Amino acid sequence: MAFHHVRFPLDIALGARGGPERKTDVVTLAGGGEQRNGRWAHSRRRYNAGYGVKSRADMQAVLAFFEERRGRLHGFLWRDGIDHSSGGAVPLPGDQAIGTGDGVKTGFQLLKRYGAAFDPYFRPIRKPVEGSVRVAVAGVERTSGWAVDGTTGVVSFSVAPAVGAAVSAGFLFDVPVRFDTDRLDIEWSSFDGAEAPNIPLVEILP
């Protein structure tokens, strides 16, 4: 298996459905109360690309993409139409806090925060869009002296940020996914139309 750094056709992805999934065990006690246990530290996203197929050309593009990925074998990039930015449409270097300098550490994982101060969830971002990442240290944007790994989302500084310096970043990102089926069930609905009601995709977690 391998990971192909190519993005699923954007015009088809924009018509898809999906979102995050959690794994929670719920046990009902004899008295009617509950015990709940979250089994996953991170959510996993699932999508159905079939809703985005609107024409024969769309279906041919999906078919070619599916065959090149060998079904479930190889992963690829997916653009979530709702959630693909650190903040607004244009990333800003202060969008997301990704760490605090200690004078030694040079690598910082890109993160996106969900929720407020009560119990926020920090999602590791591992597939930033090339050229979109902006970084700040102690509130001042850095235009050099750092690099980001597009395969892991780790920002590496040539010189470690000073002790107590807040490190932040802004970015666009994709979701690493794979097809969750080895079979495409295509319906030829008209001369120039085709439908594939179910094209499931699942996020690849490390």
Side-chain angles (χ1 to χ4, degrees):
M1 66 180 184
F3 190 87
H4 297 173
H5 280 263
V6 294
R7 188 180 292 120
F8 188 89
L10 272 176
D11 53 342
I12 302 174
L14 289 175
R17 296 182 183 177
E21 172 189 34
R22 290 280 179 173
K23 186 71 171 179
T24 306
D25 289 332
V26 180
V27 177
T28 302
L29 306 178
E34 290 184 344
Q35 291 285 349
R36 296 180 298 279
N37 179 53
R39 296 180 61 183
W40 293 353
H42 297 288
S43 56
R44 187 180 202 182
R45 281 151 176 78
R46 290 184 178 273
Y47 304 96
N48 191 334
Y51 293 100
V53 176
K54 300 295 190 297
S55 68
R56 182 188 182 97
D58 286 348
M59 193 64 254
Q60 289 174 331
V62 171
L63 179 61
F65 197 90
F66 178 87
E67 290 285 32
E68 192 172 6
R69 307 287 87 73
R70 311 301 196 269
R72 293 187 295 176
L73 185 60
H74 301 307
F76 55 93
L77 300 172
W78 170 264
R79 173 59 55 87
D80 187 319
I82 298 297
D83 189 9
H84 61 268
S85 173
S86 59
V90 178
L92 300 175
D95 281 347
Q96 298 289 330
I98 62 172
T100 303
D102 61 6
V104 177
K105 183 179 179 180
T106 58
F108 296 81
Q109 176 69 53
L110 291 178
L111 299 169
K112 182 171 181 180
R113 172 176 171 157
Y114 296 80
F118 180 71
D119 189 18
Y121 166 59
F122 294 91
R123 175 187 178 187
I125 302 299
R126 296 186 171 88
K127 302 299 179 186
V129 174
E130 183 178 359
S132 73
V133 181
R134 300 174 66 182
V135 171
V137 177
V140 179
E141 183 171 10
R142 294 281 184 90
T143 57
S144 63
W146 61 274
V148 61
D149 188 329
T151 65
T152 64
V154 173
V155 175
S156 298
F157 291 90
S158 55
V159 177
V163 175
V167 182
S168 60
F171 44 83
L172 301 176
F173 63 93
D174 292 309
V175 183
V177 301
R178 63 168 172 81
F179 287 104
D180 199 24
T181 182
D182 280 321
R183 175 173 179 258
L184 286 184
D185 190 11
I186 303 169
E187 176 186 346
W188 301 108
S189 56
S190 66
F191 178 75
D192 190 39
E195 294 181 3
N198 190 40
I199 308 177
L201 311 175
V202 62
E203 182 177 6
I204 299 171
L205 298 179

